[in-house]
Amino acid sequence: PIAGAEVFPLERSWFSVGTGAGSERARVPQWDVPAPQTRRVVRTDAIGRFAFGRMALGPHRLRIQARGYASVVTDEACVEEQKVTELPPQSLIVGATITGIVRGIDGKIEPGANVQLAPIETGHFGDHRSARADARCRFTLENVSPSEYRLSATRANVSDDPFEAIVDIRRSEIEITVVDGYYDLDLNLGPERR
């Protein structure tokens, strides 16, 4: 059991890329924000149990997360009137680490590039993650849940034109299957993949 893990309801939100405001940014759907009707986070107790009170009737998507572990998302919570909803036991694992270098359009390293990780399967419970390449152009994503993902990057100084961000994503995008362990993958924003 993991004491102190956070549990909260999720709703559909959007992951934005680009530097523009509002409609000038490219938007990608994700399930990664607390649901506004609750904005509640509960923590697991010493034996790993948690409870929400007064939840709306119907199905709920919940995220369970703890520092140092890959998060888990479950759709198994269905609240019915006058009944206690019990979920089956949920397991947290350490997950994988994905690291690499981002190269720009000219093939040189691209400091500050934005890296995105998104599940391939629509509606899948895998992680939507993002990271920024450091001064040496290295990025790191830790505690990634097992799944199939698309990994891509956009330039740090991409213009307000959302199509430039989309071109960056398409040029750099690779598909990976994450199981566990350590992955060292480079992303290339240029027309030729390395």
Side-chain angles (χ1 to χ4, degrees), residues 68-123:
Y69 294 92
S71 62
V72 170
V73 176
T74 179
D75 269 340
E76 297 182 49
C78 188
V79 177
E80 297 177 13
E81 194 165 352
Q82 302 295 320
K83 291 187 178 180
V84 173
T85 302
E86 287 284 335
L87 294 179
Q90 305 293 311
S91 297
L92 298 180
I93 61 170
V94 173
T97 297
I98 301 171
T99 188
I101 294 175
V102 180
R103 297 194 181 280
I105 292 174
D106 57 3
K108 295 179 182 174
I109 59 175
E110 184 75 24
N114 298 299
V115 176
Q116 301 86 32
L117 179 74
I120 290 175
E121 189 176 325
T122 304

Side-chain angles (χ1 to χ4, degrees), residues 104-165:
I105 292 174
D106 57 3
K108 295 179 182 174
I109 59 175
E110 184 75 24
N114 298 299
V115 176
Q116 301 86 32
L117 179 74
I120 290 175
E121 189 176 325
T122 304
H124 183 68
F125 306 145
D127 290 333
H128 286 267
R129 300 286 191 90
S130 63
R132 186 172 302 269
D134 62 20
R136 297 175 304 151
C137 302
R138 294 212 55 87
F139 66 89
T140 301
L141 299 161
E142 296 179 310
N143 306 119
V144 178
S145 300
S147 189
E148 293 182 350
Y149 294 96
R150 286 189 179 93
L151 182 67
S152 62
T154 56
R155 289 169 280 167
N157 59 353
V158 70
S159 76
D160 290 343
D161 181 354
F163 294 107
E164 284 190 26

Side-chain angles (χ1 to χ4, degrees), residues 46-57:
I47 59 171
R49 295 188 56 79
F50 64 91
F52 281 102
R54 296 190 173 112
M55 290 193 69
L57 298 178

